[in-house]
PDB file of all heavy atoms in Angstrom:
ATOM      1  N   HIS I  80       6.479  -9.276 -10.331  1.00 96.00           N
ATOM      2  CA  HIS I  80       6.941 -10.669 -10.323  1.00 96.00           C
ATOM      3  C   HIS I  80       7.479 -11.146  -8.976  1.00 96.00           C
ATOM      4  O   HIS I  80       7.839 -12.325  -8.866  1.00 96.00           O
ATOM      5  CB  HIS I  80       8.032 -10.857 -11.391  1.00 96.00           C
ATOM      6  CG  HIS I  80       7.536 -10.654 -12.788  1.00 96.00           C
ATOM      7  ND1 HIS I  80       6.869 -11.637 -13.486  1.00 96.00           N
ATOM      8  CD2 HIS I  80       7.577  -9.577 -13.607  1.00 96.00           C
ATOM      9  CE1 HIS I  80       6.540 -11.178 -14.677  1.00 96.00           C
ATOM     10  NE2 HIS I  80       6.946  -9.929 -14.778  1.00 96.00           N
ATOM     11  N   PRO I 102       8.575 -17.654 -13.671  1.00 97.00           N
ATOM     12  CA  PRO I 102       9.345 -16.777 -14.567  1.00 97.00           C
ATOM     13  C   PRO I 102      10.013 -15.630 -13.833  1.00 97.00           C
ATOM     14  O   PRO I 102       9.355 -14.697 -13.370  1.00 97.00           O
ATOM     15  CB  PRO I 102       8.277 -16.270 -15.547  1.00 97.00           C
ATOM     16  CG  PRO I 102       6.991 -16.327 -14.794  1.00 97.00           C
ATOM     17  CD  PRO I 102       7.115 -17.510 -13.877  1.00 97.00           C
ATOM     18  N   LEU I 125      12.764 -20.554 -19.547  1.00 97.00           N
ATOM     19  CA  LEU I 125      11.907 -20.560 -20.732  1.00 97.00           C
ATOM     20  C   LEU I 125      10.638 -19.748 -20.485  1.00 97.00           C
ATOM     21  O   LEU I 125      10.186 -18.992 -21.353  1.00 97.00           O
ATOM     22  CB  LEU I 125      11.551 -21.997 -21.121  1.00 97.00           C
ATOM     23  CG  LEU I 125      12.688 -22.828 -21.734  1.00 97.00           C
ATOM     24  CD1 LEU I 125      12.240 -24.276 -21.918  1.00 97.00           C
ATOM     25  CD2 LEU I 125      13.118 -22.242 -23.079  1.00 97.00           C
ATOM     26  N   ALA I 126      10.076 -19.897 -19.285  1.00 97.00           N
ATOM     27  CA  ALA I 126       8.880 -19.127 -18.932  1.00 97.00           C
ATOM     28  C   ALA I 126       9.191 -17.634 -18.920  1.00 97.00           C
ATOM     29  O   ALA I 126       8.382 -16.803 -19.354  1.00 97.00           O
ATOM     30  CB  ALA I 126       8.343 -19.579 -17.574  1.00 97.00           C
ATOM     31  N   TRP I 127      10.379 -17.271 -18.423  1.00 97.00           N
ATOM     32  CA  TRP I 127      10.784 -15.863 -18.385  1.00 97.00           C
ATOM     33  C   TRP I 127      10.934 -15.307 -19.800  1.00 97.00           C
ATOM     34  O   TRP I 127      10.530 -14.175 -20.078  1.00 97.00           O
ATOM     35  CB  TRP I 127      12.087 -15.727 -17.609  1.00 97.00           C
ATOM     36  CG  TRP I 127      12.643 -14.336 -17.540  1.00 97.00           C
ATOM     37  CD1 TRP I 127      13.860 -13.906 -17.985  1.00 97.00           C
ATOM     38  CD2 TRP I 127      12.008 -13.173 -16.999  1.00 97.00           C
ATOM     39  NE1 TRP I 127      14.027 -12.574 -17.753  1.00 97.00           N
ATOM     40  CE2 TRP I 127      12.898 -12.088 -17.140  1.00 97.00           C
ATOM     41  CE3 TRP I 127      10.770 -12.952 -16.396  1.00 97.00           C
ATOM     42  CZ2 TRP I 127      12.608 -10.805 -16.723  1.00 97.00           C
ATOM     43  CZ3 TRP I 127      10.471 -11.654 -15.976  1.00 97.00           C
ATOM     44  CH2 TRP I 127      11.370 -10.608 -16.142  1.00 97.00           C
ATOM     45  N   MET I 128      11.487 -16.100 -20.714  1.00 97.00           N
ATOM     46  CA  MET I 128      11.613 -15.666 -22.111  1.00 97.00           C
ATOM     47  C   MET I 128      10.236 -15.410 -22.726  1.00 97.00           C
ATOM     48  O   MET I 128      10.037 -14.439 -23.458  1.00 97.00           O
ATOM     49  CB  MET I 128      12.380 -16.720 -22.915  1.00 97.00           C
ATOM     50  CG  MET I 128      13.852 -16.833 -22.532  1.00 97.00           C
ATOM     51  SD  MET I 128      14.679 -18.247 -23.308  1.00 97.00           S
ATOM     52  CE  MET I 128      14.510 -17.822 -25.037  1.00 97.00           C
ATOM     53  N   CYS I 129       9.277 -16.286 -22.412  1.00 97.00           N
ATOM     54  CA  CYS I 129       7.908 -16.083 -22.915  1.00 97.00           C
ATOM     55  C   CYS I 129       7.302 -14.808 -22.351  1.00 97.00           C
ATOM     56  O   CYS I 129       6.626 -14.044 -23.059  1.00 97.00           O
ATOM     57  CB  CYS I 129       7.037 -17.288 -22.555  1.00 97.00           C
ATOM     58  SG  CYS I 129       7.488 -18.813 -23.412  1.00 97.00           S
ATOM     59  N   VAL I 130       7.547 -14.551 -21.064  1.00 97.00           N
ATOM     60  CA  VAL I 130       7.037 -13.330 -20.429  1.00 97.00           C
ATOM     61  C   VAL I 130       7.629 -12.091 -21.095  1.00 97.00           C
ATOM     62  O   VAL I 130       6.928 -11.107 -21.351  1.00 97.00           O
ATOM     63  CB  VAL I 130       7.362 -13.354 -18.915  1.00 97.00           C
ATOM     64  CG1 VAL I 130       7.152 -11.971 -18.294  1.00 97.00           C
ATOM     65  CG2 VAL I 130       6.493 -14.376 -18.201  1.00 97.00           C
ATOM     66  N   LEU I 131       8.918 -12.136 -21.400  1.00 97.00           N
ATOM     67  CA  LEU I 131       9.570 -10.994 -22.049  1.00 97.00           C
ATOM     68  C   LEU I 131       8.963 -10.729 -23.425  1.00 97.00           C
ATOM     69  O   LEU I 131       8.743  -9.571 -23.811  1.00 97.00           O
ATOM     70  CB  LEU I 131      11.072 -11.255 -22.179  1.00 97.00           C
ATOM     71  CG  LEU I 131      11.864 -11.312 -20.875  1.00 97.00           C
ATOM     72  CD1 LEU I 131      13.317 -11.672 -21.153  1.00 97.00           C
ATOM     73  CD2 LEU I 131      11.773  -9.995 -20.119  1.00 97.00           C
ATOM     74  N   PHE I 132       8.678 -11.789 -24.170  1.00 97.00           N
ATOM     75  CA  PHE I 132       8.055 -11.631 -25.486  1.00 97.00           C
ATOM     76  C   PHE I 132       6.665 -11.000 -25.346  1.00 97.00           C
ATOM     77  O   PHE I 132       6.300 -10.101 -26.107  1.00 97.00           O
ATOM     78  CB  PHE I 132       7.959 -12.989 -26.186  1.00 97.00           C
ATOM     79  CG  PHE I 132       7.277 -12.931 -27.526  1.00 97.00           C
ATOM     80  CD1 PHE I 132       7.940 -12.412 -28.621  1.00 97.00           C
ATOM     81  CD2 PHE I 132       5.970 -13.378 -27.674  1.00 97.00           C
ATOM     82  CE1 PHE I 132       7.308 -12.335 -29.861  1.00 97.00           C
ATOM     83  CE2 PHE I 132       5.334 -13.304 -28.906  1.00 97.00           C
ATOM     84  CZ  PHE I 132       6.009 -12.781 -30.004  1.00 97.00           C
ATOM     85  N   VAL I 133       5.910 -11.456 -24.346  1.00 97.00           N
ATOM     86  CA  VAL I 133       4.577 -10.889 -24.110  1.00 97.00           C
ATOM     87  C   VAL I 133       4.688  -9.420 -23.735  1.00 97.00           C
ATOM     88  O   VAL I 133       3.908  -8.577 -24.207  1.00 97.00           O
ATOM     89  CB  VAL I 133       3.842 -11.687 -23.018  1.00 97.00           C
ATOM     90  CG1 VAL I 133       2.555 -10.975 -22.599  1.00 97.00           C
ATOM     91  CG2 VAL I 133       3.525 -13.094 -23.510  1.00 97.00           C
ATOM     92  N   TYR I 134       5.651  -9.086 -22.875  1.00 97.00           N
ATOM     93  CA  TYR I 134       5.882  -7.689 -22.508  1.00 97.00           C
ATOM     94  C   TYR I 134       6.099  -6.842 -23.764  1.00 97.00           C
ATOM     95  O   TYR I 134       5.499  -5.771 -23.926  1.00 97.00           O
ATOM     96  CB  TYR I 134       7.121  -7.561 -21.617  1.00 97.00           C
ATOM     97  CG  TYR I 134       6.850  -7.534 -20.130  1.00 97.00           C
ATOM     98  CD1 TYR I 134       7.426  -8.468 -19.273  1.00 97.00           C
ATOM     99  CD2 TYR I 134       6.044  -6.553 -19.564  1.00 97.00           C
ATOM    100  CE1 TYR I 134       7.196  -8.441 -17.914  1.00 97.00           C
ATOM    101  CE2 TYR I 134       5.811  -6.504 -18.206  1.00 97.00           C
ATOM    102  CZ  TYR I 134       6.382  -7.456 -17.378  1.00 97.00           C
ATOM    103  OH  TYR I 134       6.156  -7.428 -16.027  1.00 97.00           O
ATOM    104  N   PHE I 135       6.971  -7.321 -24.635  1.00 98.00           N
ATOM    105  CA  PHE I 135       7.325  -6.538 -25.815  1.00 98.00           C
ATOM    106  C   PHE I 135       6.120  -6.332 -26.733  1.00 98.00           C
ATOM    107  O   PHE I 135       5.829  -5.199 -27.147  1.00 98.00           O
ATOM    108  CB  PHE I 135       8.458  -7.228 -26.573  1.00 98.00           C
ATOM    109  CG  PHE I 135       8.901  -6.482 -27.802  1.00 98.00           C
ATOM    110  CD1 PHE I 135       9.471  -5.222 -27.692  1.00 98.00           C
ATOM    111  CD2 PHE I 135       8.739  -7.029 -29.066  1.00 98.00           C
ATOM    112  CE1 PHE I 135       9.872  -4.516 -28.820  1.00 98.00           C
ATOM    113  CE2 PHE I 135       9.129  -6.334 -30.196  1.00 98.00           C
ATOM    114  CZ  PHE I 135       9.707  -5.073 -30.068  1.00 98.00           C
ATOM    115  N   VAL I 263      10.764  -4.443 -21.590  1.00 97.00           N
ATOM    116  CA  VAL I 263       9.889  -4.468 -20.419  1.00 97.00           C
ATOM    117  C   VAL I 263       9.370  -3.077 -20.088  1.00 97.00           C
ATOM    118  O   VAL I 263       8.191  -2.886 -19.762  1.00 97.00           O
ATOM    119  CB  VAL I 263      10.638  -5.069 -19.207  1.00 97.00           C
ATOM    120  CG1 VAL I 263       9.835  -4.888 -17.922  1.00 97.00           C
ATOM    121  CG2 VAL I 263      10.934  -6.544 -19.439  1.00 97.00           C
TER     122      VAL I 263
END
Side-chain angles (χ1 to χ4, degrees):
H80 295 279
L125 288 173
W127 178 239
M128 291 171 62
C129 292
V130 166
L131 293 176
F132 178 75
V133 171
Y134 264 122
F135 181 64
V263 170

